[in-house]
Amino acid sequence: MNILFVCTGNTCRSAMAAALFNKIATEKNLDVRIESAGLFALDGEPASNEAIIAMKRYGIDLLGHHAQTINTELIEKSDLILTMTKAHKMVLEQAAKGKVFTLCEYAGLDGDIADPYGSDVEEYEKCADMLNNALSKVAEKLGNN
């Protein structure tokens, strides 16, 4: 299964979500391919310093991350697209009918994953913890299918 995580700039939330889910999927032996993209990403941008620091707590190195803008090819090759907010989902629904959900919605949770961009490391760590919680539920769901 090809899973695409989407946020705004692909330097924080979707990058962290992809890295965290890659770790979870490996631990649970899920057969998934994971990518991330941003609706308004600047191609090639690195992950934010705060995201890199927040991921170190999970034993994940985000230094090699390079942002990419979402495009038709990414949408078409994805089986499941998980967005960070309802607004992201609304932008993609037309192009990705039936395969786009907010991360929280797919995980059976309420709300959105708030953007920590411009905040301190503590906010990024809270975001990472929220992502990890939701992604654990997604892994359970996919493991039961």
Side-chain angles (χ1 to χ4, degrees):
M1 171 181 270
N2 294 316
I3 301 173
L4 178 65
F5 292 97
V6 177
C7 69
T8 306
N10 192 217
T11 59
C12 305
R13 293 171 292 176
S14 60
M16 291 192 298
L20 281 164
F21 198 65
N22 191 47
K23 181 178 181 182
I24 292 167
T26 299
E27 290 168 356
K28 296 194 176 289
N29 208 25
L30 297 175
D31 183 19
V32 293
R33 278 147 307 290
I34 301 160
E35 288 195 72
S36 66
L39 295 178
F40 303 105
L42 295 173
D43 288 326
E45 281 285 301
S48 71
N49 287 333
E50 295 82 2
I52 291 167
I53 293 166
M55 287 293 91
K56 284 182 182 175
R57 274 189 32 220
Y58 288 91
I60 295 170
D61 183 356
L62 265 190
L63 281 173
H65 174 77
H66 299 288
Q68 64 177 339
T69 305
I70 194 155
N71 58 50
T72 304
E73 181 185 337
L74 281 171
I75 292 169
E76 287 176 357
K77 76 178 185 180
S78 298
D79 300 305
L80 177 62
I81 299 172
L82 298 174
T83 67
M84 299 300 119
T85 69
K86 292 175 192 75
H88 296 137
K89 178 184 173 183
M90 285 175 54
V91 170
L92 295 173
E93 274 181 319
Q94 196 66 29
K97 281 196 188 325
K99 60 182 177 180
V100 61
F101 304 87
T102 71
L103 173 57
C104 290
E105 170 188 22
Y106 198 78
L109 302 169
D110 292 326
D112 288 338
I113 304 293
D115 192 352
Y117 186 77
S119 300
D120 60 18
V121 171
E122 188 176 88
E123 284 303 309
Y124 277 79
E125 289 174 342
K126 286 180 190 172
C127 181
D129 292 343
M130 285 182 66
L131 287 167
N132 192 57
N133 178 49
L135 293 166
S136 295
K137 293 179 184 318
V138 169
E140 285 174 32
K141 184 173 183 173
L142 294 177
N144 292 332
N145 287 341

